[in-house]
Amino acid sequence: MRAKRSNSTEVLMEKDDSVSSTDVDDVYSTDLLTKLTNCDTVPLTRSIWEAKQKQKYSDENGSPHGDARESIIDDSLTVSASVITPESSVDTLSPMTPQLGVARITYSGRAKDTALLPTGLTTKQAAFKMVSSQRRLSILQYVPIGSLNFIPAVPEAEILEEWRETISPPDCLPETHPLMLPLGQLLSCSWIRIWTARHLRFPSLVTIRVYVLPDDRGLGTIPKEFRKHRAALRTLMENLDITKESWLRQAGLHHSRKVYKPGTVEDDSLFYLFNKIPSPRPTSLNMEDAYAKAAIDGLIQYPQQAISGLKAKLYPYQRRSAAMMIQREVKPARMLDPRLETLVGPNGDIFYFDRDACVVLKERREYEEATGGILAETMGYGKTLISLATILSTRGSWPRIPPVYLAELHPKRPQVGTLMQMAAATIGRSGIPWKPYFDRHADEGEDFTACIQHLKQYAGSYFIPGTKKRSTRNPDTGPNGQTIFLSSATLIIVPPNLVAQWLHELDLHIEKESLSVFVIEDLHQQLPPASELRTYDIILLSKPRFERESSSHDATLKSMEKEKQRKCACISGHCRCPARAPDYHSPLKDLHFLRLIVDEGHNFVSTGASGNAGNVLNSLHVERKWIVSGTPSSGLMGVEVDTASMETVENILVNSSERHQAALEARRKEVAIEQERKDLEKLGNIVVNFLHLAPWVNGKSHIDCASWRKYVMTSKSGLRNITSLKGTLEGLVVRHRIEDVEADLPLPPLYNRVVNLEPCYLDKLAINLFTLVLTTNAITSERVDQDYMFHASNRKQLDQLVRNLRQSGFYWTGFPVHEVSETIKNGHEYLNNPDKHVSEEDRSTLDTAINAGLACLRSLAWRAFSELAEMGLFVADFPDDARRAWSLCPQQVLQPLLIGATQLQLAQKHVIANLYAPNPAEGLSAAGIIVMEETRNTAETKDRVAAIKHESPGKSRPPSASGQAIPRSVTTGVHGVHKKSIRASAGVLQDVKNPSPTKPKEMLSKGLKSALKSTATSISANFAPLPPGSPLMRTRLIGTASAKLSYLLDQVHMFQKEEKIIIFYEGDHIAWYIAQCLELIHVQHLIYAKGTTLSLRAAYLELFASSEKYRVLLMDIRQAAHGLNVASASRIFFVNPVWQPSIEAQAIKRAHRIGQSRPVFVETLVLKGTFEEQLYRRRKTMTAEEHQQAAKSLLDDSIMNDIIKNLTFIPVSDQEVGDQTKQMGPLHFPQPVFEHDSSNRIQNLEMSRSENLNTATSGPVPQGLKRKAMFADHPGSLSDASEARFPMRRKAGVGFAIAEESGIVRPVKT
């Protein structure tokens, strides 16, 4: 046994002194024990006392210290005793005082061992102790780790050719050798053993073999005070030669050495590692669970066999993924501890090494994989369908009762139960999936009602005892315990915008009555009791609704509880007042669920265990947990997503596998340190807080503590521990490599190209104004202090300016005339100030800037756009008598007519309203006068209000040294479009006589709420077309004031009849202008914007996918979220170049996914010779780390920052200034304004009514959508379709409605 003194010194106190020479394995120990067998015994206590006396004498007389006594056994063996630092006065010692002494064995003239032993032993006993404690383990228990060749320090040293063990560094090893100290430290505690011999090939060399005692063999024999030498062990491991040649004494000093260096570990990027995770290879071999084995075999062994209840046919990779999910759930594999590296010793033996903790193991240490993980199939490859297939394949399975609660589960009945009762109770405790068995027999006409009733009655459950709460003031001991009921349900938590997507997938892929589904979206609707919930196969909740289960979701209950707490007189916090409102207890906490699936769960657990969602999650009982996300973190995405944003050669099909592999190799060593740190932190939250995966979940108090941050995020060497990371990823993630997916499912080709457009005259003016502002500010502020726009204190305003600059590539009217004039004035004053010393370069640049500003002020069109915030349209053959009345520039009416988009919409409406008149154009001039007068009056009023507001104290920026302030319109997010309400979406055309003064986001939201209203609801359905020969039939829209808008209108005209189109935009005003013009050319469209509700967005997506009427979807790129499916579209346009490639790629994958049957064409619109061209060129050359550093703002990229600082002006030709036809972005397909579809429009509405009714059963409409309020004015729209789609019936006794078609249960207010 071992005992400890107060000074933490370990003392051997074994009573049994008998040691046999057969207990040890080395020559030295055997010889020593043989000599000790018959030697004399000398009390070690007396030796210690004599030593102390001799020490006292030496101190008094100045003589050197020495040992008090030596016991010479023979000529080669001496056992001596020496002194430890005295703890008390030497005078108080006596020969029998129990002390500690140092015993030393000298064998053949050399010190062999030193040990700390109790003084009650004889010298013989001391020697026995030393031999038995330090030489008991066989050399077979040690691990050979390498060898060392060196030139002996003493050439004439006697070195034998045979191997000989030494217990200290050999004398011939040079004192300056870097391994001298580590060898000595580790030999002193027998952590290593070494053998020395002369080199076979080079006699002038000496070879040392080193063996280390592994932690799983003899760690207990090493005193704790010596375990600090792990650093020495690490040094030894990193410097010994591990080659077989060196071990066999065949290698010289200069041969190619091999060591266990950290540098030998690969430094591949996290992106590369994620894409190289091996594809699933499920197997049912060694599967003990017969039901799981049958499910796996049904998925992989019989691929042609349909899964019961599933309509869709799975692709082979989907079957493998579903089978692997079941395999990991039922029998998770044993995996090597991810902290360990598998190493091969110089003799070929395998051992395991934890490099960070410097732990050597002889045997493999394993942990189980998680009973769940991350389903990370790439975006658009059917993760939802895979999840549903997994649920169907294991339908009726029950979770296992935790072993700790298995005791005393046998029921105690007042009398002996029937055989059926006992069988049902046993089945419930054992978790046998009986539902599929009886379902099969029910299909064959057999009736087992009595059996099923007993099985439900005796369903499995277990009891968790309560824990006593210690309280000094309140005798309340807390709860008595809780009964947990087993449930075969799968709890699915999804983002609110994906609830409708899941319902659609359920309705599309699952046969009726195959799964019982319960869905709840209303945040205030209460969950049914646990006894009701456990009867469902799927419980679908949105994340906000799930979070409300952390506390009472009844506001009245909360306020009542607070009121009672204020009046409560209880001393303790455990209030027992009868009137106190009870704490809310979620019924979810009373069930032990079979499975939990969190869709897009990377956001769900990204903040760890904190928050309401984390609190509810930690309080649930779940056996199997899955996160479903194609991108578990921002940097973890498939290479096929990454390549989606890469430009392709037009109309040339490139081998996708080669393209993916090239992109993957290009990013293999491209490590974005900060981004990877965030990715690994999110992954750690999933591993530790969600999956509770060992060993990472082991805390500091655990015997095998494992820190995710220490081992995975950063190693001690400064590198990432790739071994730990790879092992964890492979045991956690279920995903196929892209080449394996494409072998089963080749998607249609994806073409991605940049369209370089010549900016039109008005595009140039808008962009030059931004350059004017930046240039004037830089020169007049002399690029110093806070007046300089690029000063750190102005970063917020500068970021907004850059955002506005990027949007000006499409269209911009946000510069008021007076601000441009003021900027020009400040520039003139600075140039004419004699006190300012302006360089010739700055003077020339400022002159150019002033001329650019003057060009805008001279343009009547630009002034009109700025004042009225209108999109300029160019119309040919507008009625002559009405042209001046509708013109934006009445003082200079030219051909073609320049008119605002809003005004042209109203002109259309006037003509439609007068179709019965002999001349529909009658009164058009008078209507134009009224509209333009009201428009200008409204604009002037708003300008006065804005001027007063901006001139208020504290509202203006401080002037610069020259008296100039940065124009407010440049550094605010309010575009000129704020002067009207957003009305255009999905066929909306409302009266604009009273424009709304609301802000852009409010405008877009309000306008979209009437997205499906008809413009013709006030017009008779039976009207005549334009009279033959009417001049209105010749009126054509021939161009716009935006080159990009003109291009988009042409492309929509070309492709909208055959293909559906997505237009991604940034900025609400862009959506407004595009929607206006789509209205004008009668193209039905929908807007997916931030300002719309989640339910309305879901309805838009479903309508766009199912209806042939709606051809264009305008989508805010910020809302192109994970999980959205817009595979019905095959044409994608990006209005502006996207700064972050990952955002662009995710947007593209909304359409390029399973279900896409057409080639997908992607076009990014870029204006030539502008800031956009430079931005796109820079984006293509950036590394992943540079993108990460500039993720929030492109100003964080030094090159882009310099580009913006040095913007140049776009030249404007004299021809563009003088010729109005040169100022527009021309349409290659001029569009009729009045004649084209005034009647066609009504026919479309009638078709829409019929179509919506006929396709009403194609998919579910999100619950909670206020259909009557939203769509009341649109006959035949979604409000009518809802009645055909969801005929509801009431389930007896329960406040829930069941959809007849889908069988999905929803709560309703009773």
Side-chain angles (χ1 to χ4, degrees):
M1 60 181 286
R2 292 183 180 272
K4 280 190 177 180
R5 287 170 55 87
S6 60
N7 62 359
S8 301
T9 303
E10 289 192 345
V11 185
L12 287 168
M13 299 291 290
E14 293 186 81
K15 295 182 179 180
D16 183 8
D17 295 333
S18 60
V19 180
S20 170
S21 61
T22 59
D23 294 333
V24 294
D25 69 318
D26 57 297
V27 176
Y28 155 68
S29 299
T30 305
D31 186 27
L32 175 60
L33 289 175
T34 302
K35 292 180 180 294
L36 286 172
T37 303
N38 299 315
C39 72
D40 297 331
T41 60
V42 180
L44 190 60
T45 302
R46 184 172 181 81
S47 298
I48 293 297
W49 176 78
E50 291 176 353
K52 287 189 176 289
Q53 294 300 318
K54 190 169 183 177
Q55 180 181 5
K56 177 182 178 183
Y57 174 80
S58 299
D59 291 339
E60 291 174 351
N61 297 280
S63 302
H65 291 249
D67 289 336
R69 183 181 179 85
E70 290 184 348
S71 176
I72 300 175
I73 298 176
D74 60 17
D75 292 339
S76 63
L77 178 61
T78 301
V79 179
S80 62
S82 57
V83 191
I84 307 178
T85 303
E87 297 182 1
S88 59
S89 175
V90 177
D91 296 331
T92 61
L93 292 173
S94 67
M96 302 308 295
T97 303
Q99 294 291 324
L100 290 178
V102 175
R104 180 186 299 273
I105 297 178
T106 302
Y107 183 52
S108 298
R110 298 187 61 181
K112 305 299 291 187
D113 285 296
T114 302
L116 188 63
L117 301 170
T119 57
L121 302 176
T122 65
T123 51
K124 175 183 175 181
Q125 290 172 327
F128 268 111
K129 289 296 178 187
M130 295 163 65
V131 174
S132 63
S133 64
Q134 299 185 25
R135 294 288 182 261
R136 185 178 297 276
L137 290 175
S138 167
I139 191 60
L140 297 177
Q141 303 300 321
Y142 283 69
V143 173
I145 60 172
S147 58
L148 176 66
N149 294 315
F150 63 93
I151 300 174
V154 183
E156 61 274 10
E158 182 182 355
I159 305 296
L160 300 178
E161 291 188 2
E162 295 79 15
W163 291 106
R164 183 176 180 181
E165 183 180 14
T166 59
I167 61 172
S168 63
D171 293 336
C172 57
L173 184 66
E175 294 289 339
T176 58
H177 197 284
L179 295 184
M180 172 63 86
L181 181 59
L183 284 171
Q185 291 175 333
L186 296 170
L187 283 168
S188 66
C189 57
S190 297
W191 202 329
I192 63 171
R193 292 170 68 175
I194 65 173
W195 269 257
T196 307
R198 188 171 295 279
H199 201 284
L200 292 179
R201 294 180 58 190
F202 304 98
S204 61
L205 299 181
V206 176
T207 300
I208 295 178
R209 283 181 176 179
V210 182
Y211 296 77
V212 66
L213 183 63
D215 287 61
D216 56 347
R217 282 294 185 265
L219 185 62
T221 65
I222 301 174
K224 290 184 178 179
E225 64 268 20
F226 291 111
R227 298 182 191 175
K228 62 185 178 183
H229 294 325
R230 286 197 185 273
L233 179 59
R234 178 179 288 107
T235 302
L236 205 61
M237 292 283 295
E238 293 177 357
N239 287 276
L240 290 177
D241 192 340
I242 63 174
T243 61
K244 184 178 181 180
E245 292 79 10
S246 178
W247 184 259
L248 297 176
R249 295 183 288 174
Q250 298 293 327
L253 286 177
H254 303 293
H255 90 109
S256 180
R257 300 173 69 249
K258 185 178 179 181
V259 297
Y260 301 115
K261 278 281 188 182
T264 60
V265 180
E266 296 176 344
D267 56 350
D268 295 332
S269 67
L270 183 59
F271 175 84
Y272 183 85
L273 293 175
F274 181 74
N275 280 276
K276 282 297 184 179
I277 294 174
S279 297
R281 292 293 181 265
T283 177
S284 61
L285 296 177
N286 303 321
M287 183 69 67
E288 299 173 359
D289 189 318
Y291 302 96
K293 179 179 175 64
I296 294 174
D297 287 341
L299 285 165
I300 60 176
Q301 299 294 339
Y302 310 104
Q304 302 303 322
Q305 179 178 324
I307 299 175
S308 177
L310 187 66
K311 299 178 187 176
K313 182 179 179 181
L314 297 178
Y315 292 99
Y317 78 90
Q318 292 175 324
R319 286 179 170 270
R320 292 192 296 270
S321 291
M324 179 56 73
M325 291 177 69
I326 298 172
Q327 180 178 323
R328 289 195 178 174
E329 289 178 342
V330 178
K331 190 174 183 179
R334 304 282 300 179
M335 66 175 181
L336 177 67
D337 186 336
R339 296 168 293 178
L340 300 178
E341 300 176 43
T342 302
L343 302 180
V344 180
N347 65 341
D349 289 349
I350 294 176
F351 66 99
Y352 305 93
F353 184 45
D354 181 343
R355 191 178 298 275
D356 286 275
C358 199
V359 171
V360 177
L361 298 177
K362 193 175 184 67
E363 299 296 334
R364 180 183 176 92
R365 184 169 66 194
E366 296 179 335
Y367 285 97
E368 275 192 353
E369 293 178 347
T371 52
I374 303 174
L375 177 60
E377 296 292 2
T378 194
M379 288 186 288
Y381 281 78
K383 294 185 293 295
T384 302
L385 182 57
I386 294 171
S387 301
L388 293 176
T390 303
I391 294 171
L392 275 172
S393 298
T394 57
R395 189 172 69 93
S397 296
W398 298 88
R400 293 180 289 261
I401 296 175
V404 67
Y405 303 119
L406 279 174
E408 300 182 1
L409 280 181
H410 296 281
K412 297 179 181 179
R413 301 184 180 89
Q415 59 186 12
V416 178
T418 65
L419 182 59
M420 183 176 288
Q421 289 174 335
M422 290 188 287
T426 303
I427 290 173
R429 288 195 305 273
S430 305
I432 297 175
W434 51 267
K435 289 183 179 179
Y437 176 84
F438 288 109
D439 287 345
R440 287 195 300 270
H441 284 276
D443 293 339
E444 296 172 1
E446 300 182 52
D447 185 14
F448 291 94
T449 304
C451 293
I452 294 174
Q453 289 177 349
H454 277 80
L455 288 169
K456 290 181 178 180
Q457 180 181 353
Y458 290 97
S461 65
Y462 58 92
F463 182 75
I464 301 178
T467 57
K468 288 189 176 182
K469 297 181 180 180
R470 298 171 60 184
S471 176
T472 57
R473 294 176 179 265
N474 195 325
D476 183 13
T477 59
N480 295 323
Q482 182 183 9
T483 299
I484 305 298
F485 299 94
L486 300 186
S487 171
S488 61
T490 295
L491 179 63
I492 302 177
I493 313 299
V494 302
N497 64 318
L498 296 184
V499 174
Q501 180 76 21
W502 271 84
L503 294 177
H504 176 71
E505 294 289 314
L506 283 165
D507 186 64
L508 182 65
H509 299 305
I510 305 301
E511 293 179 357
K512 183 180 177 181
E513 298 181 357
S514 294
L515 291 174
S516 56
V517 180
F518 174 82
V519 57
I520 183 169
E521 300 169 72
D522 189 347
L523 293 180
H524 303 286
Q525 190 69 45
Q526 188 173 358
L527 285 173
S531 58
E532 176 74 15
L533 286 175
R534 69 186 301 198
T535 62
Y536 295 105
D537 295 310
I538 291 178
I539 300 172
L540 179 62
L541 299 176
S542 65
K543 181 185 174 184
R545 180 62 188 85
F546 178 74
E547 289 176 332
R548 293 182 71 86
E549 292 303 300
S550 64
S551 60
S552 174
H553 53 264
D554 191 335
T556 306
L557 185 61
K558 283 186 176 180
S559 61
M560 196 166 138
E561 182 176 348
K562 290 180 180 179
E563 183 66 24
K564 293 299 179 183
Q565 285 178 338
R566 284 195 291 268
K567 297 179 180 179
C568 176
C570 294
I571 298 176
S572 169
H574 299 285
C575 176
R576 293 175 293 165
C577 299
R580 179 185 170 96
D583 292 333
Y584 175 72
H585 179 78
S586 172
L588 298 178
K589 300 177 183 180
D590 292 329
L591 297 175
H592 190 136
F593 291 99
L594 174 69
R595 185 184 292 108
L596 170 67
I597 293 178
V598 183
D599 197 5
E600 303 302 339
H602 57 283
N603 295 323
F604 189 86
V605 295
S606 60
T607 56
S610 59
N612 289 339
N615 292 335
V616 180
L617 196 60
N618 290 333
S619 64
L620 296 184
H621 307 276
V622 182
E623 181 175 277
R624 313 169 187 183
K625 296 180 180 179
W626 288 96
I627 280 178
V628 177
S629 175
T631 54
S633 188
S634 302
L636 295 178
M637 65 172 61
V639 65
E640 65 283 355
V641 179
D642 190 59
T643 56
S645 62
M646 294 182 180
E647 192 174 354
T648 58
V649 180
E650 185 176 5
N651 296 329
I652 296 179
L653 182 60
V654 181
N655 186 290
S656 59
S657 298
E658 295 177 0
R659 187 180 181 209
H660 295 153
Q661 189 60 33
L664 192 58
E665 289 299 326
R667 291 191 59 180
R668 180 170 186 171
K669 303 299 179 183
E670 188 180 289
V671 179
I673 298 175
E674 186 62 24
Q675 180 61 49
E676 289 203 357
R677 187 191 66 79
K678 295 178 180 178
D679 292 336
L680 290 174
E681 188 173 4
K682 288 184 177 181
L683 192 62
N685 285 328
I686 295 174
V687 168
V688 177
N689 299 319
F690 181 74
L691 294 173
H692 304 292
L693 181 63
W696 308 118
V697 75
N698 299 341
K700 293 182 179 180
S701 59
H702 197 278
I703 190 173
D704 183 25
C705 174
S707 169
W708 177 267
R709 185 174 297 274
K710 170 187 173 183
Y711 279 92
V712 177
M713 296 190 66
T714 307
S715 65
K716 289 184 177 178
S717 60
L719 300 174
R720 295 163 303 131
N721 192 323
I722 300 297
T723 302
S724 298
L725 183 56
K726 287 179 67 175
T728 301
L729 282 175
E730 291 177 7
L732 187 69
V733 176
V734 175
R735 81 179 303 272
H736 281 78
R737 293 181 180 179
I738 184 57
E739 57 267 26
D740 294 328
V741 175
E742 291 183 340
D744 297 335
L745 174 65
L747 286 179
L750 171 67
Y751 301 97
N752 191 337
R753 74 185 187 106
V754 174
V755 179
N756 293 292
L757 301 173
E758 287 290 345
C760 69
Y761 171 72
L762 294 163
D763 289 329
K764 296 177 181 179
L765 293 184
I767 297 173
N768 281 346
L769 283 177
F770 281 93
T771 310
L772 163 68
V773 171
L774 289 174
T775 301
T776 306
N777 170 261
I779 296 175
T780 58
S781 67
E782 299 178 357
R783 301 177 180 87
V784 295
D785 299 331
Q786 294 185 2
D787 291 331
Y788 185 36
M789 192 64 192
F790 284 85
H791 190 270
S793 62
N794 299 322
R795 180 55 186 269
K796 182 178 179 181
Q797 291 86 352
L798 183 60
D799 278 330
Q800 184 60 56
L801 183 149
V802 173
R803 284 193 289 270
N804 293 344
L805 170 62
R806 294 186 62 194
Q807 294 185 27
S808 70
F810 178 82
Y811 193 67
W812 186 263
T813 62
F815 285 101
V817 173
H818 68 88
E819 287 188 356
V820 177
S821 301
E822 186 68 22
T823 302
I824 294 173
K825 176 184 175 183
N826 290 333
H828 273 302
E829 291 177 352
Y830 185 83
L831 288 177
N832 297 327
N833 189 338
D835 297 332
K836 302 296 182 182
H837 301 285
V838 188
S839 67
E840 288 301 320
E841 182 181 359
D842 281 351
R843 182 177 295 276
S844 174
T845 302
L846 193 53
D847 281 335
T848 304
I850 291 172
N851 289 332
L854 292 173
C856 292
L857 295 180
R858 295 191 193 104
S859 171
L860 296 178
W862 178 86
R863 295 178 75 101
F865 299 153
S866 174
E867 292 170 359
L868 304 179
E870 283 293 342
M871 168 59 72
L873 302 179
F874 295 83
V875 178
D877 295 323
F878 197 85
D880 293 337
D881 59 338
R883 188 181 304 154
R884 183 177 298 275
W886 289 94
S887 174
L888 292 180
C889 306
Q891 61 271 49
Q892 185 181 359
V893 181
L894 302 175
Q895 184 70 266
L897 172 68
L898 179 59
I899 186 173
T902 304
Q903 289 70 45
L904 190 57
Q905 282 181 312
L906 295 175
Q908 275 186 334
K909 188 173 182 179
H910 175 85
V911 171
I912 292 174
N914 291 276
L915 283 175
Y916 281 115
N919 181 13
E922 185 178 355
L924 187 60
S925 176
I929 294 173
I930 296 173
V931 167
M932 294 305 299
E933 182 179 356
E934 291 183 351
T935 301
R936 290 190 173 91
N937 290 340
T938 303
E940 291 174 1
T941 301
K942 289 184 178 179
D943 283 342
R944 286 195 297 270
V945 172
I948 295 173
K949 179 180 179 181
H950 292 164
E951 291 171 4
S952 301
K955 293 293 183 180
S956 298
R957 285 176 47 79
S960 68
S962 62
Q964 177 200 8
I966 294 295
R968 179 170 300 277
S969 60
V970 181
T971 57
T972 60
V974 181
H975 187 266
V977 75
H978 74 277
K979 295 179 181 179
K980 58 175 66 65
S981 62
I982 300 289
R983 295 167 302 279
S985 68
V988 179
L989 184 59
Q990 297 176 312
D991 194 352
V992 292
K993 292 183 179 180
N994 297 303
S996 168
T998 53
K999 296 180 180 179
K1001 290 184 180 179
E1002 297 172 356
M1003 295 183 291
L1004 192 54
S1005 175
K1006 290 181 179 180
L1008 292 173
K1009 288 184 179 180
S1010 57
L1012 301 180
K1013 288 184 178 180
S1014 168
T1015 61
T1017 52
S1018 60
I1019 305 174
S1020 170
N1022 299 311
F1023 62 86
L1026 286 172
S1030 171
L1032 296 176
M1033 299 178 67
R1034 298 191 302 272
T1035 306
R1036 292 288 187 273
L1037 173 65
I1038 63 171
T1040 75
S1042 166
K1044 290 184 179 180
L1045 179 59
S1046 296
Y1047 181 83
L1048 286 173
L1049 294 179
D1050 278 335
Q1051 297 301 303
V1052 169
H1053 172 79
M1054 288 174 59
F1055 297 113
Q1056 59 107 5
K1057 290 184 179 180
E1058 300 295 331
E1059 301 180 62
K1060 290 193 174 184
I1061 301 167
I1062 305 178
I1063 300 175
F1064 287 106
Y1065 65 87
E1066 295 179 74
D1068 291 340
H1069 80 283
I1070 294 179
W1072 154 245
Y1073 289 134
I1074 297 174
Q1076 266 192 318
C1077 291
L1078 291 177
E1079 285 288 335
L1080 285 167
I1081 64 174
H1082 315 302
V1083 174
Q1084 300 299 320
H1085 60 278
L1086 298 164
I1087 301 182
Y1088 193 96
K1090 186 177 181 180
T1092 53
T1093 62
L1094 293 173
S1095 55
L1096 195 56
R1097 289 186 218 168
Y1100 284 174
L1101 289 180
E1102 183 188 348
L1103 196 60
F1104 184 70
S1106 60
S1107 171
E1108 288 300 317
K1109 172 187 173 186
Y1110 296 97
R1111 311 304 299 171
V1112 178
L1113 177 66
L1114 303 178
M1115 179 174 282
D1116 188 336
I1117 195 168
R1118 296 168 297 180
Q1119 305 304 312
H1122 303 277
L1124 296 182
N1125 186 344
V1126 202
S1128 56
S1130 56
R1131 293 276 169 178
I1132 298 175
F1133 296 94
F1134 291 95
V1135 172
N1136 298 321
V1138 183
W1139 173 241
Q1140 284 291 330
S1142 59
I1143 295 177
E1144 178 183 338
Q1146 290 174 12
I1148 293 171
K1149 296 304 287 185
R1150 301 305 108 216
H1152 193 243
R1153 59 196 298 124
I1154 285 184
Q1156 181 58 259
S1157 58
R1158 295 173 174 267
V1160 176
F1161 295 89
V1162 181
E1163 293 184 352
T1164 299
L1165 309 186
V1166 175
L1167 294 182
K1168 290 182 182 178
T1170 67
F1171 158 77
E1172 289 186 343
E1173 200 170 42
Q1174 294 172 297
L1175 181 149
Y1176 191 80
R1177 190 181 303 121
R1178 169 57 183 155
R1179 194 197 85 166
K1180 291 172 63 175
T1181 61
M1182 291 173 68
T1183 64
E1185 185 171 8
E1186 289 174 328
H1187 274 300
Q1188 184 275 324
Q1189 292 172 350
K1192 293 184 179 180
S1193 170
L1194 53 81
L1195 289 169
D1196 292 329
D1197 179 64
S1198 59
I1199 296 179
M1200 281 308 307
N1201 198 303
D1202 290 340
I1203 289 174
I1204 297 170
K1205 283 182 181 179
N1206 300 286
L1207 288 177
T1208 57
F1209 292 92
I1210 307 172
V1212 178
S1213 66
D1214 295 337
Q1215 194 176 24
E1216 289 176 298
V1217 175
D1219 187 351
Q1220 184 164 293
T1221 60
K1222 303 295 183 181
Q1223 296 180 357
M1224 65 180 176
L1227 289 175
H1228 293 289
F1229 301 99
Q1231 298 294 315
V1233 175
F1234 300 115
E1235 178 269 338
H1236 175 62
D1237 272 341
S1238 56
S1239 59
N1240 210 8
R1241 190 181 190 90
I1242 298 302
Q1243 293 172 7
N1244 282 341
L1245 290 173
E1246 292 301 315
M1247 180 189 72
S1248 170
R1249 174 185 178 90
S1250 173
E1251 177 183 279
N1252 282 332
L1253 287 173
N1254 292 335
T1255 61
T1257 57
S1258 62
V1261 173
Q1263 180 73 4
L1265 192 63
K1266 299 179 180 178
R1267 302 180 182 86
K1268 292 185 178 180
M1270 279 183 194
F1271 308 115
D1273 296 330
H1274 185 184
S1277 68
L1278 215 52
S1279 57
D1280 299 318
S1282 63
E1283 296 302 323
R1285 194 182 300 270
F1286 287 117
M1288 300 290 187
R1289 64 177 174 83
R1290 182 66 56 86
K1291 188 174 181 179
V1294 182
F1296 300 94
I1298 301 176
E1300 295 283 5
E1301 295 298 325
S1302 62
I1304 297 175
V1305 180
R1306 290 183 171 85
V1308 296
K1309 294 182 179 179
T1310 58

